[in-house]
Amino acid sequence: MDIAKMTALELGKAIKNKEISVKDAVLSVFDAIEKKDKDINAYVSLCKEEAIKKADEIQKKIDDGSLSSPIAGVPVSIKDNICTKGIKTTCSSKILGDFKPPYNATVIEKLENAGAIVIGKLNMDEFAMGSTSETSYYGPTKNPWDLNKVPGGSSGGAAAAVAADEAIFSLGSDTGGSIRQPASYCGVTGFKPTYGTVSRYGLIAYASSLDQIGPIAKDVKDCAAIMDIISGKDKFDGTSLDNDFNSLLDSLNGDVKGMKIGLPKECFETEGLDASVKESVLNVADKLKELGATVEEISLPFIDYVIPAYYIIASAEASSNLSRFDGVKYGFRAENIEGINDLYCATRSEGFGSEVKKRILLGTFVLSSGYYDAYYQKALKVKAIIKKHFDEVFEKYDLIICPTAPTTAPEIGKSLSDPLKMYLSDIFTVSVNIAGLPGLNVPCGFDKNNMPIGAQIIGQRLSEKKVLNAGYAYQQNTDYHKMKAEVK
């Protein structure tokens, strides 16, 4: 039995039934990391000693019956922008250096209370700014399906680790598609929940009105189980919602009869959409139609405006959020400086990478006097129009299905040489963040080079049950999510 290939729920059940020990589960993941990660570079830090010690503690609690969570004893890997007490958390940036948070993010507290064991921190685009995981200070992460290609971003390490069986499941963050797009490129399941359903306390902010933590896993059932644990109101996050889904995992029944699904014509007619991606995603709609859903063409006329609106809003918020990294409080500090202004300038110039600096400059520009109304204020008006249009669509339809990304994973180096092309890779995902909606990526096929393709299932705010159930129905009737990358 290859433990590292198991889903979180399969492993949790085997541990509960005493078929596998918690320590063996933890060691099997570290073995996989040792064999594969020198090629993939999914991890930026590991905590093997602490994880093994924790395994013994969790085993005792499972044995005495005080821990009954379905993922008790299951190892979890965490994106490097989610705070973990005493474990280095750097956002894959030089400017945070060897920063070790003195506290856990709320999601980490919830996972640990459920018996999950943190084994390490995952590589990412610096401060979550990028779509390829190439902007990391620790070097690029590689796609397990083809080491010459990117895994997507910014949660590229999280998706690559799950795809390569270097992680049972992982937590990522999604600001404009950063869970769903890498999940698509790596052939795994990734879920971005409704804005506010999961606390952002302890998530190092990129764009606060768009950021959302969510799971990347091997199937929809695992995503539902993880969501049951990490969602809910948090006194430390004023934007968190007091939602009660009454167990997402238990609500999965695979019944989509009577569901109305919209296929946005703009998403299937856009320039740059790969033919194999289009065909595979339309096949998802056909499969759900076979299972009893109604599928109709709809229109999302705002598609051409989502990228400019998103990058204006996200960069503006990044400009504000990243002003705290100045060399005074924590992290990297430039040397041989003269005076406070020199300290700020030198630290930020040396500590931030080029993509982060680019977005800070753009954000500062759109917030500056004379340009605020012309850019930022206008982008907020577009955001309101997008939300309104989605509301109108969801009055008639339960779900929307479209591609997660217009192509499969590009080669390493190609996107960074063409930033506009990299930004446009988010065209199908950013509107979900702008409107605060739940979105799920499910693997649905492969292109001619055997690279994974993902379909995106989108629902109205707080319709997590519908979204996950549609994904579950699809995975019950297909095997794409079971296909494994063979890392040479």
Side-chain angles (χ1 to χ4, degrees):
M1 183 188 297
D2 190 337
I3 296 171
K5 291 185 184 296
M6 298 173 79
T7 69
L9 288 173
E10 287 170 349
L11 180 53
K13 185 178 180 182
I15 290 169
K16 189 176 181 181
N17 293 339
K18 295 183 169 35
E19 296 164 12
I20 296 170
S21 72
V22 178
K23 189 173 181 180
D24 283 344
V26 168
L27 289 174
S28 71
V29 176
F30 280 114
D31 286 346
I33 293 168
E34 192 175 328
K35 287 174 189 169
K36 302 174 185 178
D37 206 56
K38 61 183 180 297
D39 296 319
I40 295 171
N41 196 31
Y43 286 85
V44 296
S45 59
L46 295 169
C47 36
K48 187 172 183 179
E49 218 173 282
E50 299 91 326
I52 292 170
K53 184 181 175 185
K54 190 78 174 176
D56 292 333
E57 294 173 18
I58 296 298
Q59 187 71 64
K60 287 174 187 172
K61 290 183 179 179
I62 293 170
D63 292 345
D64 67 22
S66 59
L67 255 183
S68 58
S69 159
I71 62 163
V74 176
V76 56
S77 306
I78 307 295
K79 189 176 179 180
D80 196 34
N81 62 345
I82 300 173
C83 287
T84 40
K85 186 177 181 180
I87 302 171
K88 198 164 79 163
T89 303
T90 71
C91 289
S92 293
S93 177
K94 179 180 178 180
I95 205 162
L96 272 172
D98 291 322
F99 173 62
K100 292 181 179 178
Y103 70 100
N104 276 327
T106 296
V107 289
I108 303 300
E109 288 290 315
K110 288 187 171 188
L111 284 173
E112 290 193 337
N113 289 340
I117 298 170
V118 175
I119 61 166
K121 304 302 286 291
L122 295 158
N123 206 1
M124 56 182 279
D125 281 302
E126 184 184 6
F127 280 98
M129 297 182 192
S131 305
T132 62
S133 295
E134 292 176 276
T135 68
S136 169
Y137 177 65
Y138 303 106
T141 299
K142 297 172 183 177
N143 194 312
W145 290 89
D146 183 341
L147 298 177
N148 295 310
K149 297 192 174 177
V150 304
S154 61
S155 305
V162 174
D165 295 319
E166 291 185 73
I168 304 297
F169 74 95
S170 62
L171 283 192
S173 67
D174 193 310
T175 307
S178 291
I179 285 173
R180 291 158 288 149
Q181 186 249 39
S184 173
Y185 283 0
C186 292
V188 293
T189 305
F191 184 58
K192 179 259 168 201
T194 299
Y195 181 79
T197 55
V198 176
S199 171
R200 289 182 297 108
Y201 178 72
L203 172 66
I204 299 173
Y206 164 17
S208 306
S209 72
L210 305 170
D211 296 341
Q212 190 60 71
I213 294 171
I216 295 179
K218 294 173 183 176
D219 62 16
V220 170
K221 280 185 75 175
D222 276 8
C223 285
I226 297 155
M227 279 297 299
D228 282 339
I229 291 163
I230 65 174
S231 64
K233 183 68 178 172
D234 179 18
K235 65 181 180 181
F236 295 118
D237 178 4
T239 64
S240 63
L241 303 174
D242 193 7
N243 55 291
D244 182 7
F245 295 122
N246 297 317
S247 181
L248 290 169
L249 180 59
D250 290 344
S251 72
L252 298 180
N253 57 22
D255 183 7
V256 294
K257 291 185 182 70
M259 269 195 181
K260 289 192 73 176
I261 296 171
L263 296 179
K265 61 182 181 181
E266 293 83 1
C267 295
F268 292 95
E269 294 171 0
T270 188
E271 188 180 340
L273 178 64
D274 189 283
S276 59
V277 172
K278 180 178 179 178
E279 182 184 358
S280 294
V281 176
L282 288 174
N283 287 341
V284 175
D286 288 342
K287 177 59 69 177
L288 293 178
K289 192 174 179 180
E290 275 178 37
L291 296 171
T294 302
V295 178
E296 296 175 0
E297 184 178 85
I298 62 168
S299 178
L300 297 179
F302 52 75
I303 282 292
D304 289 342
Y305 303 98
V306 296
I307 292 291
Y310 167 78
Y311 276 98
I312 288 169
I313 293 168
S315 297
E317 294 185 18
S319 171
S320 173
N321 281 326
L322 271 63
S323 63
R324 72 193 70 179
F325 304 108
D326 52 16
V328 175
K329 307 172 196 72
Y330 38 70
F332 169 76
R333 176 182 293 187
E335 297 178 352
N336 304 317
I337 48 95
E338 297 177 8
I340 191 71
N341 287 335
D342 191 24
L343 170 65
Y344 290 162
C345 186
T347 296
R348 291 165 70 80
S349 295
E350 294 174 35
F352 286 131
S354 59
E355 185 64 31
V356 174
K357 285 188 272 196
K358 191 188 303 177
R359 297 194 194 195
I360 290 172
L361 287 170
L362 173 61
T364 305
F365 173 74
V366 300
L367 290 175
S368 61
S369 177
Y371 297 100
Y372 181 89
D373 289 336
Y375 294 103
Y376 184 65
Q377 197 67 38
K378 194 175 285 184
L380 291 180
K381 288 177 182 176
V382 173
K383 179 180 180 179
I385 290 168
I386 291 170
K387 289 179 77 171
K388 184 173 181 290
H389 196 93
F390 270 122
D391 288 342
E392 290 170 358
V393 169
F394 286 122
E395 284 176 6
K396 300 175 185 175
Y397 296 90
D398 296 292
L399 300 170
I400 294 170
I401 290 179
C402 67
T404 303
T407 67
T408 54
E411 287 182 19
I412 291 171
K414 286 200 170 177
S415 294
L416 288 187
S417 63
D418 187 354
L420 183 59
K421 191 173 182 181
M422 180 176 77
Y423 297 163
L424 287 172
S425 70
D426 297 332
I427 191 167
F428 300 136
T429 53
V430 294
S431 60
V432 173
N433 297 77
I434 287 172
L437 308 175
L440 173 72
N441 175 78
V442 289
C444 66
F446 296 88
D447 70 2
K448 62 184 179 183
N449 299 314
N450 199 40
M451 293 304 293
I453 295 168
Q456 183 177 206
I457 302 172
I458 304 166
Q460 176 61 298
R461 287 181 290 280
L462 296 175
S463 66
E464 266 72 357
K465 283 185 179 179
K466 284 183 183 178
V467 173
L468 290 168
N469 195 52
Y472 177 68
Y474 178 72
Q475 290 189 343
Q476 287 291 97
N477 291 274
T478 58
D479 288 327
Y480 294 114
H481 62 291
K482 296 178 182 177
M483 306 291 186
K484 293 289 183 181
E486 294 299 326
V487 183
K488 301 291 189 291

